[in-house]
Amino acid sequence: MILRSKYIYIFLLILLFILSSCSSQPKVEPYEYFASESNYTEIVVEGKGISYEDAESNARVQALQNVVGMKVYNETKVRNFKLIDKTILSKTYGVIKGSEILEKTEKDGIYTVKVKYQVSKNIGDDDFFYILQQMKKPKIGVNITNLTDELNKVAETAIESELSKYGFNLFDSDRIISDYNSLANEGLDVIITGQVTSEYAGKYYGLESARSKVDLKAYWTSTGKLIASINEESGGSDITKNDAIKVAIKKSSTNAGEKLAKEILKTWMDYLANGIPIQIVVLDVTQDEYNKIYNRLKNIFNIYSYNFSNDKATFEIESNIFTDEIYSLYLNDYNLISQSMTNIVIK
């Protein structure tokens, strides 16, 4: 009896050890950040493709995207956004320090791989900005109007320079008119407007000095919705009063431009991950056609606004694909009048 109790006790100890060992294993899911060392972030992603090689390439892109998302947000949030293509892999190969394929499956010609990657936390600025350059991003225009033409241009150029660093496409500021919504039809996705002020601040160590303040707002041209607003204030000095004012305006505009570029980029990454707000305008349309288009769209997209007036239909949808794909897949029986990343006009 004593011997039997001893065996039962040993068996229970072994069972307890096994259970505790199993429970200590981390649960790993696709796209989930789960470990962080001093030099790298370890994540698991799931890639899909028409071959195992293509699926692994897709997984690598997602691993890079996640780390870029962390860097932009400056926090451990995984953001899954889309890039133009996979050419980034040729220039950012060293960012991924190690990989381990956890699972491979194939169904109906679609290959899926689950891969654990060790991705460098200290992704270099060259790699970081190159990846950002490859992202599909909205075209942005800058319009400062409250100063002289010369000083307005100083502010606009400084802001545009910061936008360019983050890979945004720029709209010719000379083409910008007050009717921003109509510019959406010409390819302008985002308009940045602002007020820049400056004042002379007296002598400073033998130089003329000035202060400048800039208030900027960014809007979607298609909907008029506010993306972000930023204000900055800086000082500057130079030999003449006019040059000191220019230096101050350039500094404040540069600082504001960098902050606003990051805010627009964060918003855009969220849209790419969760759905881009897109406006579809149909001209010279009947009530029956309007109903037909509405029924077609509601089965595919989330429609959060729709309107029909004066033979014109307007739909605001949320989409995980870009406007060129929307048109070619679902609206190609209409004539394409104009198109941008967030706006389609058909007839």
Side-chain angles (χ1 to χ4, degrees), residues 126-141:
D126 288 344
D127 286 331
F128 173 65
F129 283 112
Y130 180 74
I131 294 172
L132 292 182
Q133 289 282 347
Q134 302 307 305
M135 286 176 59
K136 283 188 175 180
K137 290 187 288 298
K139 182 170 282 189
I140 302 179

Side-chain angles (χ1 to χ4, degrees), residues 24 56 122 138 146 165 172 179 184 200 216 269 276 279 330:
S24 65
E56 287 180 45
N122 303 315
N146 65 303
K165 288 180 183 178
D172 183 2
D179 184 6
Y200 176 61
L216 301 179
M269 288 168 67
I276 306 167
Q279 184 182 70
Y330 308 114

Side-chain angles (χ1 to χ4, degrees), residues 67-335:
V67 173
V68 171
M70 292 176 195
K71 182 161 182 172
V72 171
Y73 278 78
N74 196 28
E75 57 189 49
T76 53
K77 277 188 179 179
V78 172
R79 299 281 170 171
N80 181 33
F81 55 90
K82 298 177 180 66
L83 302 177
I84 290 178
D85 53 43
K86 297 170 186 173
T87 58
I88 62 164
L89 297 182
S90 63
K91 289 196 176 184
T92 57
Y93 199 88
V95 175
I96 293 180
K97 303 301 182 183
S99 63
E100 178 188 351
I101 295 177
L102 304 178
E103 185 180 306
K104 284 187 174 184
T105 57
E106 184 272 331
K107 183 178 181 182
D108 299 328
I110 300 297
Y111 294 80
T112 302
V113 293
K114 186 185 288 187
V115 191
K116 179 169 69 176
Y117 288 106
Q118 292 177 343
V119 188
S120 173
K121 267 186 172 182
N122 303 315
I123 179 172
D125 284 342
D126 288 344
D127 286 331
F128 173 65
F129 283 112
Y130 180 74
I131 294 172
L132 292 182
Q133 289 282 347
Q134 302 307 305
M135 286 176 59
K136 283 188 175 180
K137 290 187 288 298
K139 182 170 282 189
I140 302 179
V142 184
N143 192 30
I144 307 296
T145 58
N146 65 303
L147 298 175
T148 65
D149 289 344
E150 182 185 24
L151 296 180
N152 287 338
K153 202 65 181 176
V154 170
E156 289 174 354
T157 302
I159 296 164
E160 288 174 344
S161 177
E162 294 305 307
L163 293 168
S164 295
K165 288 180 183 178
Y166 287 88
F168 286 108
N169 300 310
L170 299 177
F171 191 84
D172 183 2
S173 60
D174 293 333
R175 293 173 55 198
I176 295 177
I177 57 177
S178 58
D179 184 6
Y180 300 143
N181 185 259
S182 67
L183 289 173
N185 301 334
E186 298 185 33
L188 179 64
D189 298 300
V190 176
I191 180 70
I192 294 175
T193 63
Q195 297 288 310
V196 179
T197 58
S198 62
E199 61 180 4
Y200 176 61
K203 290 281 188 178
Y204 184 75
Y205 286 96
L207 294 174
E208 306 291 352
S209 66
R211 300 290 301 175
S212 173
K213 184 178 180 181
V214 58
D215 294 288
L216 301 179
K217 288 182 170 58
Y219 301 90
W220 296 111
T221 55
S222 57
T223 62
K225 292 181 179 177
L226 179 69
I227 302 172
S229 61
I230 296 292
N231 58 75
E232 277 290 316
E233 188 172 350
S234 295
S237 58
D238 212 307
I239 297 173
T240 68
K241 290 181 182 180
N242 190 52
D243 286 341
I245 288 172
K246 286 182 181 179
V247 170
I249 290 174
K250 183 178 180 180
K251 282 185 178 180
S252 61
S253 300
T254 296
N255 294 339
E258 180 183 17
K259 288 184 177 180
L260 195 56
K262 287 183 177 180
E263 290 302 315
I264 296 171
L265 184 59
K266 289 176 184 180
T267 301
W268 185 242
M269 288 168 67
D270 276 337
Y271 283 158
L272 291 180
N274 303 306
I276 306 167
I278 290 173
Q279 184 182 70
I280 300 173
V281 178
V282 190
L283 305 175
D284 297 336
V285 65
T286 65
Q287 178 73 54
D288 287 343
E289 286 179 303
Y290 164 72
N291 293 334
K292 183 177 73 172
I293 296 171
Y294 171 77
N295 289 326
R296 182 189 304 180
L297 293 175
K298 77 174 183 178
N299 293 324
I300 308 165
F301 306 102
N302 175 29
I303 301 178
Y304 56 88
S305 174
Y306 51 92
N307 179 62
F308 176 67
S309 177
N310 298 323
D311 301 328
K312 175 183 174 182
T314 304
F315 304 91
E316 291 185 5
I317 68 170
E318 197 171 74
S319 170
N320 288 315
I321 60 176
F322 292 108
T323 53
D324 53 349
E325 293 180 83
I326 292 173
Y327 176 74
S328 63
L329 291 174
Y330 308 114
L331 300 170
N332 60 11
D333 49 338
Y334 291 86
N335 292 323

